[in-house]
Amino acid sequence: MSKMVGSNKYFFKICIVGDSEVGKTTILNQYLKRRFVPEAQRTIGSNFFVKYVKVPEIERLITLQFWDLAGQPRFKWVRYAFYKGAKGIVYAFDLTRKNTLDNILTWKEEVESKIGVVPNILVGNKLDLLTSENRIINLDEVSYIQQQVSASEYIETSAKIGTKVEDVFSKLTLEIYKSNIEGIE
Ligand code: GTP
């Protein structure tokens, strides 16, 4: 279960996965630094971040540790090591590219083969690029994938503007907390 880290009792590792260029690094930059980093460099292997948060429903401080995993298949060997100990997953796809939604099933297989099913959220990113005319992914398709990964929520974000990015992590943190509470109380 979650480890003790000094007086900071709750420590959750979260992995964000999804195809290359869906915006994983940008989502994390937006969440952690509250700004859009326009030319996020392609992730090589993995990035690692830490944030201390207070979720209103949980009284104590929580340490979130993020692993941002390169979406390119050639980094598959690196990614395996990083799922170990993950308490939550963000499955991210690009709302403008349907194949990135379909590929969530491949990501699910990879994740679950290592750590089984853990609390997770499905995220459709790049909402700012959508208009009422160019929405190519319908909600039935999304619901199907959401069920397949057992995601508690589906959230559409814009990492560029910051829309709903905060929601993703506060909801996931709460869910992880609830699912681990017996082991850490
Ligand atoms: P890998 O490191 O290759 O796995 O990619 P990634 O999923 O981390 O994607 P990254 O964050 O590098 O973003 C890819 C491109 O999409 C960058 O040019 C970003 O600026 C852009 N981008 C990310 N999120 C958004 C968004 O919400 N809206 C728009 N318009 N562009 C975005």
Short mmCIF file of all heavy atoms in Angstrom, two decimals, residues 2-43:
data_model
loop_
_atom_site.label_atom_id
_atom_site.label_comp_id
_atom_site.label_asym_id
_atom_site.label_seq_id
_atom_site.Cartn_x
_atom_site.Cartn_y
_atom_site.Cartn_z
N SER A 2 0.29 2.40 0.25
CA SER A 2 1.05 3.63 0.15
C SER A 2 2.09 3.74 1.25
O SER A 2 1.87 3.28 2.36
CB SER A 2 0.10 4.82 0.21
OG SER A 2 -0.80 4.71 -0.83
N LYS A 3 3.19 4.41 0.93
CA LYS A 3 4.29 4.45 1.88
C LYS A 3 4.22 5.70 2.74
O LYS A 3 3.65 6.69 2.36
CB LYS A 3 5.62 4.50 1.10
CG LYS A 3 5.85 3.26 0.30
CD LYS A 3 7.14 3.44 -0.51
CE LYS A 3 7.21 2.38 -1.58
NZ LYS A 3 7.39 2.90 -2.89
N MET A 4 4.89 5.62 3.90
CA MET A 4 5.04 6.79 4.74
C MET A 4 6.19 7.61 4.18
O MET A 4 7.24 7.09 3.90
CB MET A 4 5.40 6.37 6.16
CG MET A 4 4.39 5.47 6.79
SD MET A 4 3.09 6.39 7.59
CE MET A 4 3.94 6.94 9.05
N VAL A 5 6.01 8.90 4.03
CA VAL A 5 7.10 9.76 3.61
C VAL A 5 7.16 10.90 4.61
O VAL A 5 6.40 11.85 4.54
CB VAL A 5 6.87 10.32 2.19
CG1 VAL A 5 8.01 11.24 1.78
CG2 VAL A 5 6.73 9.19 1.19
N GLY A 6 8.04 10.80 5.60
CA GLY A 6 8.10 11.79 6.66
C GLY A 6 6.74 11.88 7.32
O GLY A 6 6.08 10.89 7.59
N SER A 7 6.29 13.12 7.57
CA SER A 7 4.98 13.30 8.18
C SER A 7 3.89 13.29 7.11
O SER A 7 2.72 13.41 7.41
CB SER A 7 4.95 14.62 8.93
OG SER A 7 5.21 15.66 8.01
N ASN A 8 4.32 13.20 5.89
CA ASN A 8 3.37 13.24 4.79
C ASN A 8 2.94 11.81 4.46
O ASN A 8 3.63 11.07 3.79
CB ASN A 8 4.08 13.90 3.59
CG ASN A 8 3.11 14.13 2.46
OD1 ASN A 8 1.93 13.84 2.57
ND2 ASN A 8 3.64 14.65 1.39
N LYS A 9 1.78 11.47 4.98
CA LYS A 9 1.41 10.06 5.01
C LYS A 9 1.04 9.45 3.67
O LYS A 9 1.29 8.30 3.41
CB LYS A 9 0.26 9.92 6.00
CG LYS A 9 0.05 8.52 6.49
CD LYS A 9 -1.02 8.52 7.55
CE LYS A 9 -1.41 7.12 7.94
NZ LYS A 9 -2.59 7.15 8.78
N TYR A 10 0.41 10.24 2.85
CA TYR A 10 -0.12 9.67 1.61
C TYR A 10 0.80 9.95 0.43
O TYR A 10 1.14 11.11 0.16
CB TYR A 10 -1.51 10.23 1.33
CG TYR A 10 -2.48 9.97 2.44
CD1 TYR A 10 -3.23 11.01 2.97
CD2 TYR A 10 -2.62 8.70 2.97
CE1 TYR A 10 -4.11 10.77 4.01
CE2 TYR A 10 -3.50 8.47 4.01
CZ TYR A 10 -4.24 9.51 4.52
OH TYR A 10 -5.11 9.28 5.54
N PHE A 11 1.14 8.90 -0.24
CA PHE A 11 2.10 9.00 -1.34
C PHE A 11 1.58 8.16 -2.49
O PHE A 11 1.50 6.94 -2.37
CB PHE A 11 3.45 8.48 -0.85
CG PHE A 11 4.49 8.37 -1.92
CD1 PHE A 11 5.23 9.48 -2.30
CD2 PHE A 11 4.73 7.15 -2.55
CE1 PHE A 11 6.19 9.38 -3.29
CE2 PHE A 11 5.69 7.05 -3.54
CZ PHE A 11 6.42 8.16 -3.91
N PHE A 12 1.15 8.82 -3.56
CA PHE A 12 0.55 8.08 -4.67
C PHE A 12 1.34 8.30 -5.96
O PHE A 12 1.56 9.44 -6.37
CB PHE A 12 -0.88 8.57 -4.93
CG PHE A 12 -1.82 8.43 -3.76
CD1 PHE A 12 -2.83 9.37 -3.57
CD2 PHE A 12 -1.71 7.37 -2.87
CE1 PHE A 12 -3.71 9.25 -2.50
CE2 PHE A 12 -2.60 7.24 -1.80
CZ PHE A 12 -3.60 8.19 -1.62
N LYS A 13 1.69 7.22 -6.56
CA LYS A 13 2.36 7.29 -7.88
C LYS A 13 1.29 7.20 -8.97
O LYS A 13 0.43 6.30 -8.93
CB LYS A 13 3.36 6.14 -8.01
CG LYS A 13 4.01 6.08 -9.38
CD LYS A 13 5.05 4.96 -9.41
CE LYS A 13 5.60 4.77 -10.81
NZ LYS A 13 6.59 3.68 -10.87
N ILE A 14 1.35 8.11 -9.90
CA ILE A 14 0.38 8.16 -11.00
C ILE A 14 1.13 8.10 -12.33
O ILE A 14 2.10 8.83 -12.52
CB ILE A 14 -0.45 9.47 -10.93
CG1 ILE A 14 -1.35 9.47 -9.68
CG2 ILE A 14 -1.28 9.68 -12.19
CD1 ILE A 14 -2.07 10.78 -9.41
N CYS A 15 0.67 7.25 -13.24
CA CYS A 15 1.28 7.20 -14.57
C CYS A 15 0.29 7.77 -15.60
O CYS A 15 -0.90 7.45 -15.55
CB CYS A 15 1.61 5.77 -14.97
SG CYS A 15 2.94 5.05 -14.00
N ILE A 16 0.81 8.57 -16.49
CA ILE A 16 -0.02 9.06 -17.60
C ILE A 16 0.45 8.40 -18.89
O ILE A 16 1.64 8.43 -19.21
CB ILE A 16 -0.03 10.61 -17.66
CG1 ILE A 16 -0.89 11.10 -18.84
CG2 ILE A 16 1.35 11.21 -17.73
CD1 ILE A 16 -1.29 12.58 -18.74
N VAL A 17 -0.48 7.72 -19.55
CA VAL A 17 -0.13 6.96 -20.75
C VAL A 17 -1.05 7.32 -21.91
O VAL A 17 -2.15 7.84 -21.71
CB VAL A 17 -0.19 5.42 -20.50
CG1 VAL A 17 0.78 5.01 -19.40
CG2 VAL A 17 -1.59 4.96 -20.17
N GLY A 18 -0.59 7.01 -23.11
CA GLY A 18 -1.35 7.29 -24.32
C GLY A 18 -0.36 7.47 -25.46
O GLY A 18 0.84 7.59 -25.23
N ASP A 19 -0.90 7.50 -26.67
CA ASP A 19 -0.03 7.58 -27.85
C ASP A 19 0.83 8.85 -27.85
O ASP A 19 0.51 9.83 -27.18
CB ASP A 19 -0.89 7.58 -29.13
CG ASP A 19 -1.42 6.19 -29.44
OD1 ASP A 19 -1.12 5.24 -28.69
OD2 ASP A 19 -2.14 6.06 -30.46
N SER A 20 1.85 8.79 -28.67
CA SER A 20 2.74 9.93 -28.83
C SER A 20 1.94 11.15 -29.30
O SER A 20 1.03 11.02 -30.13
CB SER A 20 3.82 9.57 -29.85
OG SER A 20 4.80 10.55 -29.85
N GLU A 21 2.25 12.30 -28.76
CA GLU A 21 1.69 13.59 -29.19
C GLU A 21 0.25 13.84 -28.76
O GLU A 21 -0.38 14.79 -29.24
CB GLU A 21 1.79 13.75 -30.73
CG GLU A 21 3.18 13.60 -31.28
CD GLU A 21 3.96 14.91 -31.31
OE1 GLU A 21 3.47 15.87 -31.88
OE2 GLU A 21 5.06 14.95 -30.71
N VAL A 22 -0.31 12.99 -27.90
CA VAL A 22 -1.68 13.28 -27.46
C VAL A 22 -1.70 14.44 -26.46
O VAL A 22 -2.76 15.04 -26.22
CB VAL A 22 -2.41 12.04 -26.85
CG1 VAL A 22 -2.51 10.91 -27.86
CG2 VAL A 22 -1.75 11.57 -25.57
N GLY A 23 -0.53 14.74 -25.89
CA GLY A 23 -0.45 15.89 -24.98
C GLY A 23 -0.16 15.54 -23.54
O GLY A 23 -0.43 16.34 -22.63
N LYS A 24 0.43 14.38 -23.29
CA LYS A 24 0.67 13.93 -21.92
C LYS A 24 1.57 14.91 -21.14
O LYS A 24 1.25 15.32 -20.04
CB LYS A 24 1.29 12.52 -21.92
CG LYS A 24 0.42 11.47 -22.59
CD LYS A 24 1.05 10.10 -22.59
CE LYS A 24 2.35 10.00 -23.36
NZ LYS A 24 2.21 10.23 -24.82
N THR A 25 2.70 15.25 -21.77
CA THR A 25 3.65 16.15 -21.09
C THR A 25 3.01 17.53 -20.90
O THR A 25 3.18 18.18 -19.86
CB THR A 25 4.95 16.28 -21.92
OG1 THR A 25 5.46 14.96 -22.14
CG2 THR A 25 5.99 17.10 -21.19
N THR A 26 2.23 17.95 -21.88
CA THR A 26 1.59 19.27 -21.81
C THR A 26 0.53 19.30 -20.72
O THR A 26 0.38 20.29 -20.00
CB THR A 26 0.98 19.62 -23.18
OG1 THR A 26 1.97 19.40 -24.20
CG2 THR A 26 0.55 21.08 -23.24
N ILE A 27 -0.22 18.21 -20.56
CA ILE A 27 -1.22 18.12 -19.49
C ILE A 27 -0.52 18.26 -18.14
O ILE A 27 -0.95 19.02 -17.27
CB ILE A 27 -1.99 16.78 -19.57
CG1 ILE A 27 -2.93 16.76 -20.77
CG2 ILE A 27 -2.77 16.51 -18.27
CD1 ILE A 27 -3.54 15.39 -21.09
N LEU A 28 0.58 17.54 -17.98
CA LEU A 28 1.31 17.61 -16.70
C LEU A 28 1.90 18.99 -16.47
O LEU A 28 1.84 19.52 -15.36
CB LEU A 28 2.41 16.54 -16.65
CG LEU A 28 1.91 15.12 -16.38
CD1 LEU A 28 3.08 14.15 -16.39
CD2 LEU A 28 1.19 15.03 -15.04
N ASN A 29 2.45 19.59 -17.52
CA ASN A 29 2.99 20.95 -17.38
C ASN A 29 1.90 21.91 -16.94
O ASN A 29 2.12 22.78 -16.09
CB ASN A 29 3.58 21.45 -18.71
CG ASN A 29 5.02 20.97 -18.90
OD1 ASN A 29 5.75 20.81 -17.93
ND2 ASN A 29 5.40 20.74 -20.13
N GLN A 30 0.73 21.76 -17.54
CA GLN A 30 -0.39 22.64 -17.20
C GLN A 30 -0.80 22.43 -15.73
O GLN A 30 -1.03 23.38 -15.01
CB GLN A 30 -1.56 22.36 -18.15
CG GLN A 30 -2.77 23.22 -17.96
CD GLN A 30 -2.53 24.70 -18.18
OE1 GLN A 30 -2.53 25.46 -17.22
NE2 GLN A 30 -2.31 25.11 -19.42
N TYR A 31 -0.86 21.18 -15.33
CA TYR A 31 -1.27 20.89 -13.95
C TYR A 31 -0.22 21.34 -12.93
O TYR A 31 -0.55 21.93 -11.91
CB TYR A 31 -1.53 19.39 -13.80
CG TYR A 31 -1.92 19.00 -12.40
CD1 TYR A 31 -3.04 19.55 -11.79
CD2 TYR A 31 -1.17 18.07 -11.67
CE1 TYR A 31 -3.40 19.21 -10.49
CE2 TYR A 31 -1.53 17.73 -10.38
CZ TYR A 31 -2.65 18.30 -9.80
OH TYR A 31 -3.00 17.95 -8.51
N LEU A 32 1.03 21.07 -13.24
CA LEU A 32 2.08 21.32 -12.26
C LEU A 32 2.55 22.76 -12.26
O LEU A 32 2.91 23.30 -11.23
CB LEU A 32 3.27 20.38 -12.51
CG LEU A 32 2.93 18.89 -12.39
CD1 LEU A 32 4.01 18.02 -12.99
CD2 LEU A 32 2.70 18.51 -10.93
N LYS A 33 2.54 23.38 -13.43
CA LYS A 33 3.09 24.75 -13.51
C LYS A 33 2.04 25.77 -13.88
O LYS A 33 2.33 26.95 -14.00
CB LYS A 33 4.21 24.77 -14.56
CG LYS A 33 5.34 23.81 -14.24
CD LYS A 33 6.35 23.73 -15.37
CE LYS A 33 7.32 22.59 -15.11
NZ LYS A 33 7.99 22.15 -16.34
N ARG A 34 0.81 25.30 -14.11
CA ARG A 34 -0.31 26.15 -14.51
C ARG A 34 0.03 27.01 -15.71
O ARG A 34 -0.28 28.20 -15.77
CB ARG A 34 -0.76 27.05 -13.35
CG ARG A 34 -1.44 26.26 -12.27
CD ARG A 34 -1.91 27.19 -11.17
NE ARG A 34 -2.18 26.45 -9.96
CZ ARG A 34 -3.30 25.79 -9.72
NH1 ARG A 34 -4.26 25.78 -10.61
NH2 ARG A 34 -3.47 25.13 -8.61
N ARG A 35 0.69 26.44 -16.66
CA ARG A 35 0.92 27.19 -17.89
C ARG A 35 1.09 26.24 -19.06
O ARG A 35 1.40 25.05 -18.88
CB ARG A 35 2.13 28.11 -17.77
CG ARG A 35 3.44 27.40 -17.59
CD ARG A 35 4.53 28.42 -17.28
NE ARG A 35 5.75 27.76 -16.86
CZ ARG A 35 6.74 27.43 -17.68
NH1 ARG A 35 6.67 27.72 -18.96
NH2 ARG A 35 7.82 26.83 -17.22
N PHE A 36 0.87 26.78 -20.23
CA PHE A 36 1.00 26.01 -21.46
C PHE A 36 2.43 26.11 -21.94
O PHE A 36 2.95 27.21 -22.13
CB PHE A 36 0.04 26.58 -22.51
CG PHE A 36 0.14 25.93 -23.87
CD1 PHE A 36 -0.01 24.55 -24.02
CD2 PHE A 36 0.35 26.70 -25.01
CE1 PHE A 36 0.06 23.94 -25.28
CE2 PHE A 36 0.41 26.11 -26.26
CZ PHE A 36 0.26 24.73 -26.40
N VAL A 37 3.09 24.98 -22.09
CA VAL A 37 4.43 24.97 -22.65
C VAL A 37 4.26 24.52 -24.10
O VAL A 37 4.00 23.35 -24.36
CB VAL A 37 5.36 24.01 -21.87
CG1 VAL A 37 6.76 24.01 -22.46
CG2 VAL A 37 5.40 24.40 -20.39
N PRO A 38 4.30 25.48 -25.06
CA PRO A 38 3.83 25.19 -26.40
C PRO A 38 4.61 24.08 -27.13
O PRO A 38 4.03 23.25 -27.79
CB PRO A 38 3.96 26.52 -27.16
CG PRO A 38 4.68 27.45 -26.28
CD PRO A 38 4.75 26.86 -24.90
N GLU A 39 5.89 24.07 -27.01
CA GLU A 39 6.65 23.06 -27.74
C GLU A 39 7.24 22.05 -26.78
O GLU A 39 8.45 21.94 -26.63
CB GLU A 39 7.75 23.72 -28.59
CG GLU A 39 7.23 24.57 -29.74
CD GLU A 39 6.29 23.80 -30.68
OE1 GLU A 39 6.55 22.62 -30.97
OE2 GLU A 39 5.29 24.40 -31.12
N ALA A 40 6.35 21.34 -26.09
CA ALA A 40 6.84 20.29 -25.19
C ALA A 40 7.70 19.34 -26.04
O ALA A 40 7.26 18.88 -27.08
CB ALA A 40 5.68 19.55 -24.56
N GLN A 41 8.90 19.09 -25.56
CA GLN A 41 9.76 18.20 -26.33
C GLN A 41 9.25 16.78 -26.24
O GLN A 41 8.67 16.39 -25.23
CB GLN A 41 11.18 18.25 -25.78
CG GLN A 41 11.89 19.51 -26.18
CD GLN A 41 13.33 19.50 -25.73
OE1 GLN A 41 13.71 18.72 -24.86
NE2 GLN A 41 14.12 20.36 -26.32
N ARG A 42 9.46 16.03 -27.29
CA ARG A 42 9.06 14.63 -27.28
C ARG A 42 9.73 13.95 -26.09
O ARG A 42 10.93 14.13 -25.86
CB ARG A 42 9.50 13.99 -28.60
CG ARG A 42 9.20 12.54 -28.65
CD ARG A 42 9.20 12.05 -30.08
NE ARG A 42 7.93 12.35 -30.71
CZ ARG A 42 7.68 12.11 -32.00
NH1 ARG A 42 8.61 11.60 -32.76
NH2 ARG A 42 6.51 12.38 -32.50
N THR A 43 8.93 13.20 -25.35
CA THR A 43 9.48 12.55 -24.16
C THR A 43 10.42 11.42 -24.56
O THR A 43 10.08 10.59 -25.38
CB THR A 43 8.33 12.00 -23.29
OG1 THR A 43 7.40 13.04 -23.07
CG2 THR A 43 8.85 11.48 -21.96
#
